[in-house]
Amino acid sequence: MKNGMKKTAAVVMAAMLMGTGAVVPAAEDMGIFSQTAIVAEAGSVGKVTGLKSKTLSNSEIQLNWSKVKGASGYTVYMRKNGKYNKLGDCKGTSYTVKKLPNATRENFKVRAYKTVKGKKVYGEYSANWNTATNPQACKGLKVSSVGTDNVKLSWTKIGCTNYRIYQNIKGEWKEIGKTTGTSYTVKKLAPATKYQFKIRACKQDDKKTNNNHYGKYSGVVTATTKKSDKITQADIDAMKAELTAYSREKAEYIRENYKNFDGYGEMYNTLDEFFDYYAEDCTPEGASYDAVYVIPYTQETLNDTIDLYKRKLDYLYQKRDDVYYVVYIENCPNGHRVNSNPCWATYFLY
C-alpha cells in the first residue's frame, strides 16, 4: 500500500513538473527529487535581452547581448527555411557568425543555459534580431561617355540594394547620387574640367532605422569633360568672380574709408564684409548704372569680353572714384531689351 502511494505521488509530481514548461533532460536513472532540482534550476535561467549586432564584413556578423546572471553559457541560433537552427555555444556575451553570403539578411536568436548534473537547462529565447552582411566591393567601374557637362559611369552588377556614387570635391569624397542600376550619369559639370569618381554597393538593412551596410569602395576613375563650343553658366560665374575681385581692388576710396560709413560695427566689421553687405541687395531695380552690356549665348570665348569690362571699370573709377561698382549679371533666356536673343546682361551698379 505504501509503495502504491509513493508511485502515485511520483506520477503527480512528474505531471506538475511537466506543466512548468521548463526544458529538462530525460528522467533515466534519475529520481523524482533530482528532476525537481533541475526544474528549479531551469526556472532561474533568465531570458537573454539586448541582442544587437555589428556587421564585420561581407561574410561575418558579430552578435552581442546582455549578460544573464548565473548562466553557464549561451546558444546562438539562425533562421533557415522558417526554422531556427543552432549555430553554436559560447561562454561570453559575444558570438561571431562566419562564412555568410554577401549582402544577405539573416535572423538570429540567443538563449542562456545552465549546466545541471551534466545536462543543459535553457531559459527563454531572446527576441529575434535581423541584420545583413555587407556587399562585396564594386568592380568594373569605368567611364562610358563624356560630354561638355556630364560624365556617364558604368560598372559590373553585384548583389546589393543600390549603388552609391561619390565625387572628389575639393579634396573630399562626397556622395552625389544613388541608383539600383549599373550606370549613372553625373550632370551639371563644367566643360574642360577633370573629375574623379568612385562607387560602393549598399545593402539596406532596416528602413525604420536606415541602418545600411556598405561594401568597399571601387577603384577611382578620372574623366575630363569636353571643351564647350559655347559659353556656359560656369564661364559666366567665373567671369563675374574675376571682375568682382578686380572692382574691389580698384575701389581705393572705399578701401580707405569703409569704417566711416553707416553700419560699421553693426552690419559689417571688415572690408570684405562691407563689400558683401553692399552687394547683397544691389540690383538694377534699386541701384544706379550707366549702361547695360549683353553677351550672346552663341559667343565662343569670354577672354576679350573680360578685358573689355576691366577697361570699362578703369574708366568708371576714373570718372567716379568714391563708389564701389558691383558686378551684376543676369541670365536672359528670352532675350533682353538691348538684345532680343538669349543672352547674359551685365551691369556695373553703384
Side-chain angles (χ1 to χ4, degrees):
M1 185 68 176
K2 289 183 180 180
N3 290 336
M5 291 179 65
K6 288 182 179 180
K7 290 181 180 180
T8 302
V11 171
V12 173
M13 182 66 73
M16 291 173 64
L17 295 175
M18 295 299 291
T20 65
V23 182
V24 299
E28 320 149 1
D29 302 327
M30 297 184 68
I32 190 65
F33 295 106
S34 297
Q35 292 184 37
T36 303
I38 291 174
V39 171
E41 289 288 345
S44 68
V45 180
K47 178 180 179 180
V48 170
T49 60
L51 179 59
K52 301 292 182 182
S53 67
K54 179 181 180 181
T55 299
L56 301 180
S57 68
N58 61 342
S59 63
E60 296 185 353
I61 293 173
Q62 184 185 76
L63 301 173
N64 298 279
W65 56 89
S66 301
K67 183 177 180 180
V68 174
K69 185 177 180 180
S72 302
Y74 305 87
T75 302
V76 180
Y77 302 83
M78 184 172 76
R79 189 170 64 190
K80 185 176 182 180
N81 299 325
K83 180 182 178 181
Y84 282 93
N85 299 293
K86 178 180 175 179
L87 291 178
D89 295 330
C90 64
K91 297 297 183 182
T93 57
S94 178
Y95 186 92
T96 299
V97 187
K98 301 180 179 181
K99 297 182 179 180
L100 295 170
N102 298 314
T104 303
R105 184 184 302 282
E106 305 291 358
N107 201 301
F108 304 94
K109 284 185 178 182
V110 179
R111 59 177 177 168
Y113 65 83
K114 285 184 178 181
T115 303
V116 183
K117 296 187 180 297
K119 302 292 183 178
K120 289 179 181 176
V121 180
Y122 289 95
E124 292 184 48
Y125 284 100
S126 68
N128 70 297
W129 177 263
N130 68 83
T131 187
T133 52
N134 295 337
Q136 60 181 305
C138 286
K139 300 178 181 179
L141 178 62
K142 64 180 181 180
V143 177
S144 297
S145 63
V146 177
T148 58
D149 63 351
N150 64 83
V151 170
K152 184 177 181 180
L153 307 170
S154 62
W155 53 87
T156 303
K157 183 177 181 180
I158 62 172
C160 63
T161 305
N162 54 52
Y163 304 89
R164 305 298 175 98
I165 296 83
Y166 298 82
Q167 179 182 334
N168 190 331
I169 300 176
K170 296 181 179 179
E172 294 185 11
W173 287 101
K174 296 185 178 181
E175 183 178 324
I176 59 171
K178 64 180 179 180
T179 179
T180 57
T182 55
S183 66
Y184 185 87
T185 300
V186 186
K187 301 178 180 180
K188 297 182 179 180
L189 301 175
T193 304
K194 182 184 290 186
Y195 293 94
Q196 287 185 315
F197 306 97
K198 63 182 180 181
I199 63 171
R200 62 174 175 170
C202 171
K203 174 65 176 179
Q204 187 168 304
D205 188 353
D206 189 333
K207 293 181 179 179
K208 293 181 180 179
T209 60
N210 195 31
N211 184 21
N212 296 326
H213 302 284
Y214 295 93
K216 293 182 180 180
Y217 288 102
S218 68
V220 176
V221 296
T222 302
T224 300
T225 50
K226 294 180 180 179
K227 182 178 179 180
S228 176
D229 294 332
K230 299 178 182 179
I231 293 172
T232 66
Q233 184 65 55
D235 297 324
I236 294 295
D237 292 341
M239 181 187 74
K240 179 180 178 180
E242 183 176 346
L243 292 174
T244 295
Y246 188 78
S247 181
R248 292 186 177 187
E249 286 297 324
K250 298 292 292 185
E252 295 179 2
Y253 179 84
I254 301 298
R255 298 174 69 85
E256 295 174 359
N257 298 280
Y258 75 95
K259 294 181 180 180
N260 299 323
F261 299 135
D262 291 340
Y264 177 70
E266 297 179 2
M267 307 304 296
Y268 63 90
N269 293 291
T270 67
L271 177 61
D272 286 338
E273 287 179 359
F274 169 81
F275 283 135
D276 293 338
Y277 168 70
Y278 188 85
E280 184 176 358
D281 299 319
C282 204
T283 63
E285 293 73 24
S288 299
Y289 60 93
D290 295 325
V292 57
Y293 310 90
V294 294
I295 303 172
Y297 276 7
T298 54
Q299 189 168 316
E300 293 185 358
T301 179
L302 283 175
N303 293 334
D304 293 339
T305 300
I306 292 173
D307 291 337
L308 176 64
Y309 284 168
K310 285 183 177 180
R311 293 196 296 271
K312 176 64 177 176
L313 285 169
D314 290 340
Y315 170 76
L316 290 174
Y317 277 112
Q318 289 177 1
K319 182 180 177 182
R320 184 190 295 272
D321 64 357
D322 60 347
V323 299
Y324 164 51
Y325 285 99
V326 176
V327 181
Y328 182 93
I329 304 176
E330 64 180 354
N331 194 352
C332 306
N334 299 319
H336 188 272
R337 58 183 174 82
V338 179
N339 186 333
S340 59
N341 297 314
C343 59
W344 287 274
T346 305
Y347 302 80
F348 299 113
L349 307 176
Y350 63 94

